[in-house]
Amino acid sequence: MPIRTTMNKKKTLEEIIDLVVHAQDIALEVGIPNILQPGLVKEMIIANILDHDLITSKRGADACDPHDHSIKYEYLTCYEGGTGQLDRMFKSPQDKRDESLRRITRNKAVFLAVFLKAKPLTVKVIYEISPSTMLAEAERQLDRSRNVISHVGFSEKWASDNGKVVYSTERIL
C-alpha cells in the first residue's frame, strides 16, 4: 500500500466527507434524519439483506415486515469473535426489568449479524433467534448479574447453537 503524503491524506479525507454528506442528503430524501446515528448503517445493511423495512427512530424495534408493519424485528451486531448485546437491561425493580425485556418480546424474531473484522460493513452471517429463546437467556444472565443495570450478551457460538442461519457469505443455505 503506498504511503500517503499529508496532501494526499487531506484530499482523501475531503473525499470521504463529501461521500458522507452526499449519503446524508440521499438519506433525508427517504426520511432518515441522521445517517451517523450509532448502529444505523449496519441496521440498514441487515434490513437490506433480510428485505425488512428499516425503522430509524432510536426507540423501538430496528425493522419491521414490509407487508405488515406491526411485525417487528430487533438486530444485534458484532464482529467475528465478538458478542452482540442489549445495553442497559434492568435486573430490578420488576417493572423496569419487564420494560427492558420487552426489547426482546415485542419482536417476531431477533437477528444477530456478525460482521467481518477486516471489512467492517460486510456481513459474514446472520442468525435468526426466537424471542422466547433469547428471553430465557437474557433472564438467566440478569438473574446471575450482580448489577441492577447490565449488558446482556449473545455470542456467535450461542446464536449458532440456539438460532438458525438465515444468511451467510460462507456457504449456500
Side-chain angles (χ1 to χ4, degrees):
M1 176 181 268
I3 298 174
R4 295 186 184 269
T5 64
T6 303
M7 195 57 111
N8 285 341
K9 190 173 184 179
K10 182 173 176 40
K11 183 176 166 104
T12 300
L13 292 174
E14 288 172 354
E15 183 179 356
I16 293 168
I17 292 166
D18 288 345
L19 290 169
V20 172
V21 168
H22 182 65
Q24 180 60 66
D25 290 343
I26 295 169
L28 285 170
E29 292 174 12
V30 294
I32 300 173
N34 179 10
I35 199 166
L36 298 180
Q37 175 181 312
L40 185 59
V41 171
K42 286 184 177 178
E43 290 168 4
M44 291 170 68
I45 292 166
I46 299 164
N48 186 57
I49 290 170
L50 298 177
D51 197 28
H52 294 160
D53 281 353
L54 183 69
I55 299 172
T56 60
S57 64
K58 288 183 129 186
R59 297 270 182 228
D62 295 321
C64 60
D65 183 283
H67 307 292
D68 182 350
H69 285 190
S70 71
I71 298 173
K72 308 290 187 206
Y73 305 111
E74 186 71 23
Y75 299 154
L76 302 178
T77 65
C78 66
Y79 290 115
E80 299 167 286
T83 300
Q85 64 183 27
L86 292 166
D87 296 341
R88 298 192 48 78
M89 298 289 286
F90 282 80
K91 177 178 183 169
S92 61
Q94 190 64 46
D95 63 326
K96 288 194 175 209
R97 179 180 175 124
D98 292 345
E99 184 180 336
S100 292
L101 292 172
R102 268 193 286 284
R103 292 167 59 193
I104 298 169
T105 60
R106 69 182 171 209
N107 301 291
K108 179 177 180 182
V110 180
F111 296 90
L112 173 67
V114 181
F115 286 79
L116 298 175
K117 282 183 185 176
K119 294 184 78 178
L121 295 180
T122 300
V123 175
K124 172 185 163 187
V125 62
I126 300 174
Y127 297 93
E128 179 179 341
I129 303 144
S130 75
S132 61
T133 300
M134 186 162 276
L135 177 64
E137 176 62 14
E139 288 185 313
R140 185 191 71 77
Q141 289 184 37
L142 287 173
D143 289 343
R144 294 182 65 190
S145 176
R146 295 181 188 170
N147 302 318
V148 173
I149 302 173
S150 299
H151 299 314
V152 178
F154 305 90
S155 68
E156 180 176 0
K157 169 94 171 80
W158 182 88
S160 175
D161 291 345
N162 293 279
K164 68 178 181 178
V165 174
V166 293
Y167 174 84
S168 175
T169 57
E170 295 184 332
R171 60 184 161 82
I172 297 173
L173 302 175

